[in-house]
Every structure is written in structure tokens, then in C-alpha cells.
Amino acid sequence: MARLNDEVGALLQEYADLILLTGGNAFRARSYEKAARSVGGYSEDLAHLDEEGIHKIPGVGDSTAAKIAEYLATKHIAALDKLRAQVPPGVREITSIPTVGPKTAVQLYRQLGIKSVDELRAAIDADKVKGLPGLGARAVENIRQGIDQVSRAGRRSLLSTALDLAEELVAAISEVPGCTRCAYAGSLRRMRETVGDVDILATARDSAPLMAALRDRPDVADVIGSGPTKTSVRTAKGLQVDLRVVPTADWGAALMYFTGSRAHNIKLRGRAVKAGMKLSEYGLFDVETGKKLASRTEKEVYAALGLPLIPPTLREDRGEIEAALDGELPDLVTLKDLRGDLHTHTDLTDGLAPLEAMLEAAAGLGYAYYAVTDHAPNLAMQRMTDDKMLAQRERARALDRTYHGMRVLHGTELNIDADGGVDWPADFLAGFDICVASIHSSFNLDRGAQTRRLIRACENPFINIIGHPTTRLLDRREPIDVDLDAVFAAAGRTGTALELNSSPHRLDLNDEQIMAARRHGVRFAVDSDAHSVPQLVGNQRFGVATAQRGWLGKDDVINTWSLTRLRRFLRKSAVRE
């Protein structure tokens, strides 16, 4: 379920943005932006904090604390409401376009009266934007591409956003008197990286109370339609929710039908037809007699079709039915299989928590080992130095085994330069237990250059993992143009793991890329890329689900291995197992 911390963090971020949009002090805006990140990433729930507790949140001063307290008491922040009145909502929306900051958004508004993304698109089409200060032909084209990207992303929600809502709805509807079962289905149950709408399935003798519970929620902005079997609403954040209520006896068939992709369901129906049966959301029937053969559970319906239960994350018609028939469905990796996390950050760079807090949280997850991998110096904004990194190494060594015996690995996230080089020389890199290397700049290099830089990184004997290999951000940035097949081949050849970054904004590599890389013998690291305790605890469920969608088993993922086996793998000259 969504945390109050995230809600308040988003309001503080909006306040920071509006300070800049109204010409306010940039330093003040940055302080609120920092506070927004800190509140959102704080491990304790705001709902349980008193005034003293709020003041203990890093980056929260008296003014910010007062605004948080005001919101907790009234659900409003007067200063925020005042700034909102000065800026049309669409102007802030324009800043969500990649390459468009507050200064440009304000310039567009003041000089051309542009106050929405649609108006900006129309102005670009009419050639009214080019020529404004700082907006040459290339900048305008980048904005146009950014608008297209935002428009595509806007039609779907991140998996994490949809899942927060779905879990909240399932919990609420389950509490309605008369509800006997409730679960989410659709692409969300298949754990796709983005979700178009949220499908909720429930059972009850009388559907009316369940439908009313959904319609009457305060976050429902519009009731699209409502009847005895289905109600559709749209939330204030634009997500469509479809609630279906079915008879208890049909639960399995309905859950199966509303979970599988269209292609998966067509393949199943074809199999039923060949066997003289008919499959629908109401059950599996004998065509000749009309007798219902199976419907109560998914396992029962699959079994009647001559199949084992196929995990929801595989139901995409990518060979899972054929594999099931041959007894070759993968034994998928699970969250409980993870023994550690190999890509995390602390407040030494851009994380929000000290090393000790991250270690305590990792130990609480039952991890056998944990790697801290703060940023290297070429990411200049993080102000890393050799001395800072060596001091952290000494601290990590001192804390080794002190948290329930968990081993602490000292690592770093290196920056892959445009030519494939990294931050430190070989003698310095040799001192790390583990090195992740990622692209953080030069996103617009041509395909050949991007491919060469990643292959060179794979060939570096000190680089163990390529972090978020395509660099994409699902809601903000397109992936780089790269020959992934060549990179996968290099990773397989050199014994370099590829990351499945579990941040719901990344999920990079994605499921189809994982399947392609696996054919080259690549191993994978499912990492949180956590910058806070909540991310350390919460991100990995998304990465594991994506790993399952990519057909990965436990043996494919290096952070499910024992520390002894992992250390052998990290010595890239050793023979891979």
C-alpha cells in the first residue's frame, strides 16, 4: 500500500518545483527537493511520528517540519496552495518533459502563453518555439521527442503505482461484508513493467455492497459504468479500475481468464477445442454434453487441459504452454531465494541513509551478504574522493559480521565513460570486493559507440556487473541505442553479470532482453539499486517478478548463490560454473 511518506514527499517536491516556476530562490527550492527525497525515503512512517520525530528526518528543518505538521493535521499546505494559484497546472506538467526545466517552462508560458503539453506540441508544430532564447532547432526537436515519450508513458502506470493501488483495493474490498475472495488479476498479476488498468476479481453472493465500496471511495474521480457483475471507475490519478464479482464456484476459471494475456488465452482455448471442450471465464465445459468439467481453481482448470499450473508471470504465450506439455517449465527464482543485494547506496553519495541503517535493514531481510556500492568520482555531483571511499572501506570491514553475521562487501558503482573507461585505475579497483559499472552520461552516442563502450566495460577484469545496461527510465528516458546481442555475447564470454535493476522506474534489463541474454550463457544480478531503506526493502519484489518473466531460475541469479560461490564468480579469471 502507498505510504504517507510518499504522499508528503510528492507535495514537498511539487512545492520545490513551484518555487522555481514562480521565480523563487533556487537554494530554497533545492532544500525542499532534498527534504522531499528524504521524507519519501525515510524508514519510519510519518503517520506515527510526533513533532520531535519529524525534526529528526534528515534535511527537514523548522519550515519544512511545520508544513508537514500542517498537512498531517489539515490535509492542506497553505503555502503550496498559494503557489498553485500562481501557476497553471499544465505549466508544471511541462517540466515532466525530458530536457524541459522550470526556467524553460516559465519562458514558454510568459512569452507564448503555453500552459499545457498539448499547447506546447501545437506551438512546435506551428514553428513558434524555435528561436526563443536557448531553444534552437536541436533543442526543440529534443522537446518534441520528449513529448512523445511522456505521451506514451502517460497511457500506462508504473508497476509499483498500480500494485500499491491494487493491494489497497483488495484489502478494502475483502473487508466488505459478504466478500469471500478478492485478488488482482490482469497484466498486474503477470507483473508487467507498466499497467494500463487494474483488474480486481472478487466473489460474493450479493455483489452490490462490493460495487458500492469501489464507487464510493474518495479517490474515485469518475464512475465509468456499474452493474451487478462489473464496475469500472477512474481514479483521481487517472488509473482505470475494473471490479468483477463472480460466483465462488467459478473463481478459478475467472482468475485464469482475466490473468492470462490474450495470446495465452487463445492458445488455451485452441487446446480445449481440439479436445472437444470449451473454455471461458465461466469454466471448462464438455461441448457435447454441456457439462462443466472444471472451474473452481486455476490448478483444476489447467489439469483438465492436461497441463500443470503455469505461473502467472509466464502467461504471455512465449513457449510456456509447450514447455508445460514437455515438463520443462522453469523452476522460477523467488524473493526468498535472494541471499544478498549487490548494488546499493548510502548517504556518502546520493543515498538517504547511513551505512549502518542500510546494513540493519538488509540483515532484517535475512541476507547472508550485502554490498555497498556508492558512486565513483567521475559522477562529479556526488563529490567522491579516494580518501572518502577508503574510509568507507575501513568502516565496512569493521562492520562485517556485526549484523546477525551478515557479510559486508565493499564495492562501488563505476561510471562507464564514452570510450568504455571507468573512474579509477586498476590498482585502486583491485581493492574492492565487487565493482558495478553503469552508464550515467553520453546517452546520445551512436549505436556503434554505445556498443563498444559496453563491450570494453565487460572486458575490464575488475568489473563484475554491468548496472542498468540500457539506462532507460520507464517514465522519463528512452533506452540507449545499442547492439544488445553483441553486449550479451561479450558478457557471456567474459563472465560479467548483467544487472536486472529492481527499481520500478528502471526494470533494466527487461524480460525479453533477459531471455535473449540467457541464450549467451549470461548470469544476472537482481539488485535493488536502493538509495534508502524503503527501497532496499521494497524494490526487489519488482526485480524478482521481472526475472520470472524472463524465465530465470535460482541458478541464473548470482545473488542467490552462497558467498563462497559468489566470490569465485567475482574473480573473473576463474572458470565459471
Side-chain angles (χ1 to χ4, degrees):
M1 294 174 63
R3 300 168 71 239
L4 179 61
N5 298 48
D6 297 326
E7 184 180 338
V8 173
L11 292 172
L12 293 174
Q13 180 61 59
E14 181 183 0
Y15 188 62
D17 292 344
L18 289 173
I19 288 173
L20 293 174
L21 287 168
T22 54
N25 183 275
F27 177 79
R28 183 164 170 259
R30 282 195 295 273
S31 70
Y32 277 104
E33 185 173 316
K34 181 179 179 181
R37 292 181 62 245
S38 191
V39 169
Y42 197 56
S43 56
E44 294 186 50
D45 193 328
L46 274 181
H48 303 143
L49 297 182
D50 56 15
E51 184 177 346
E52 182 180 354
I54 292 172
H55 273 91
K56 289 182 179 179
I57 301 174
V60 172
D62 291 343
S63 178
T64 305
K67 289 178 175 63
I68 294 172
E70 179 186 359
Y71 183 75
L72 296 180
T74 68
K75 290 297 180 182
H76 285 281
I77 300 175
L80 175 58
D81 291 339
K82 183 177 179 180
L83 288 185
R84 281 173 171 167
Q86 298 178 39
V87 180
V91 175
R92 183 168 181 263
E93 182 186 352
I94 288 171
T95 64
S96 67
I97 300 169
T99 75
V100 179
K103 182 178 178 180
T104 300
V106 169
Q107 178 183 214
L108 292 167
Y109 174 57
R110 290 177 177 171
Q111 297 194 26
L112 298 177
I114 295 172
K115 54 184 183 297
S116 72
V117 173
D118 287 342
E119 290 180 5
L120 178 54
R121 186 196 298 274
I124 291 174
D125 290 342
D127 205 26
K128 294 180 179 179
V129 175
K130 188 170 60 179
L132 293 179
L135 294 175
R138 182 171 181 177
V140 172
E141 181 57 30
N142 287 339
I143 293 174
R144 185 197 299 276
Q145 293 176 6
I147 291 173
D148 291 340
Q149 179 182 339
V150 169
S151 297
R152 288 193 297 273
R155 291 191 288 268
R156 300 183 66 84
S157 297
L158 292 178
L159 173 60
S160 56
T161 301
L163 194 57
D164 280 345
L165 175 61
E167 290 180 337
E168 185 175 334
L169 289 172
V170 167
I173 293 169
S174 296
E175 293 296 319
V176 176
C179 179
T180 54
R181 300 191 76 163
C182 188
Y184 54 83
S187 59
L188 181 58
R189 189 166 177 239
R190 301 199 309 275
M191 298 295 277
R192 288 194 60 180
E193 61 196 27
T194 60
V195 175
D197 51 42
V198 173
D199 293 299
I200 306 292
L201 201 64
T203 58
R205 287 182 177 274
D206 181 7
S207 65
L210 281 64
M211 301 305 188
L214 177 60
R215 292 193 307 266
D216 296 342
R217 286 180 59 85
D219 56 348
V220 169
D222 181 34
V223 177
I224 300 169
S226 185
T229 60
K230 179 183 176 183
T231 290
S232 297
V233 302
R234 185 170 289 106
T235 69
K237 293 185 177 180
L239 255 175
Q240 180 172 324
V241 178
D242 296 328
L243 169 63
R244 293 175 175 86
V245 179
V246 302
T248 300
D250 295 342
W251 171 258
L255 186 59
M256 182 174 164
Y257 180 85
F258 289 111
T259 293
S261 71
R262 181 172 181 271
H264 178 85
N265 288 347
I266 288 173
K267 185 73 69 71
L268 289 178
R269 290 200 297 272
R271 181 168 176 78
V273 168
K274 289 180 180 179
M277 297 181 286
K278 178 183 177 182
L279 178 64
S280 72
E281 65 265 42
Y282 305 108
L284 183 66
F285 300 85
D286 183 282
V287 171
E288 187 173 329
T289 66
K291 180 183 177 182
K292 183 182 288 188
L293 304 174
S295 66
R296 190 168 293 274
T297 69
E298 289 185 302
K299 184 177 182 179
E300 176 184 291
V301 179
Y302 273 111
L305 289 168
L307 296 165
L309 179 66
I310 297 176
T313 46
L314 296 187
R315 300 180 196 175
E316 297 284 358
D317 188 29
R318 293 194 292 208
E320 70 277 5
I321 294 174
E322 293 79 4
L325 287 168
D326 294 337
E328 295 179 354
L329 280 176
D331 185 11
L332 297 175
V333 64
T334 67
L335 195 58
K336 68 180 181 181
D337 290 328
L338 298 186
R339 296 193 185 186
D341 198 330
L342 303 179
H343 181 179
T344 68
H345 299 274
T346 73
D347 60 359
L348 182 63
T349 55
D350 58 347
L352 299 174
L355 176 60
E356 291 80 356
M358 297 295 277
L359 291 175
E360 183 177 0
L365 294 172
Y367 285 162
Y369 47 83
Y370 168 93
V372 54
T373 56
D374 274 314
H375 288 288
N378 287 359
L379 202 62
M381 67 186 77
Q382 306 304 336
R383 301 181 180 179
M384 178 55 72
T385 65
D386 294 10
D387 288 342
K388 283 183 180 180
M389 188 57 83
L390 292 173
Q392 185 188 63
R393 181 175 300 164
E394 184 176 343
R395 183 61 181 156
R397 299 287 186 257
L399 292 170
D400 187 36
R401 297 183 187 268
T402 61
Y403 289 84
H404 304 292
M406 185 178 69
R407 304 304 306 270
V408 181
L409 306 181
H410 187 246
T412 183
E413 184 181 14
L414 300 163
N415 308 285
I416 303 174
D417 295 337
D419 64 357
V422 293
D423 309 65
W424 277 302
D427 59 344
F428 197 89
L429 293 177
F432 289 104
D433 297 313
I434 185 169
C435 289
V436 179
S438 310
I439 290 175
H440 295 110
S441 61
S442 301
F443 302 116
N444 295 321
L445 293 179
D446 63 47
R447 185 178 181 85
Q450 296 286 24
T451 305
R452 285 191 295 274
R453 76 194 291 202
L454 281 171
I455 290 176
R456 184 182 174 198
C458 288
E459 291 172 343
N460 186 316
F462 297 102
I463 292 176
N464 308 115
I465 300 169
I466 302 296
H468 44 77
T470 78
T471 80
R472 73 166 182 180
L473 292 171
L474 282 165
D475 48 355
R476 293 195 298 278
R477 186 169 66 221
E478 295 287 342
I480 57 173
D481 183 15
V482 61
D483 182 350
L484 283 175
D485 202 57
V487 175
F488 297 159
R493 170 172 52 83
T494 60
T496 308
L498 297 181
E499 182 177 72
L500 198 176
N501 189 292
S502 297
S503 165
H505 295 273
R506 290 189 184 275
L507 297 181
D508 178 13
L509 298 170
N510 69 25
D511 51 357
E512 293 182 352
Q513 293 160 351
I514 291 166
M515 295 176 79
R518 189 168 178 265
R519 290 193 285 269
H520 288 277
V522 170
R523 302 290 194 177
F524 303 86
V526 178
D527 296 328
S528 69
D529 193 4
H531 288 67
S532 66
V533 168
Q535 290 178 0
L536 180 66
V537 173
N539 279 5
Q540 292 290 56
R541 67 184 301 195
F542 306 113
V544 167
T546 303
Q548 291 181 350
R549 288 179 56 81
W551 291 53
L552 292 188
K554 178 179 175 181
D555 194 57
D556 297 309
V557 179
I558 65 173
N559 50 314
T560 69
W561 298 350
S562 69
L563 182 59
T564 299
R565 183 181 179 189
L566 176 64
R567 285 193 186 278
R568 284 201 300 269
F569 180 86
L570 297 178
R571 297 194 302 272
K572 290 180 70 172
S573 59
V575 177
R576 295 183 62 198
E577 298 184 36

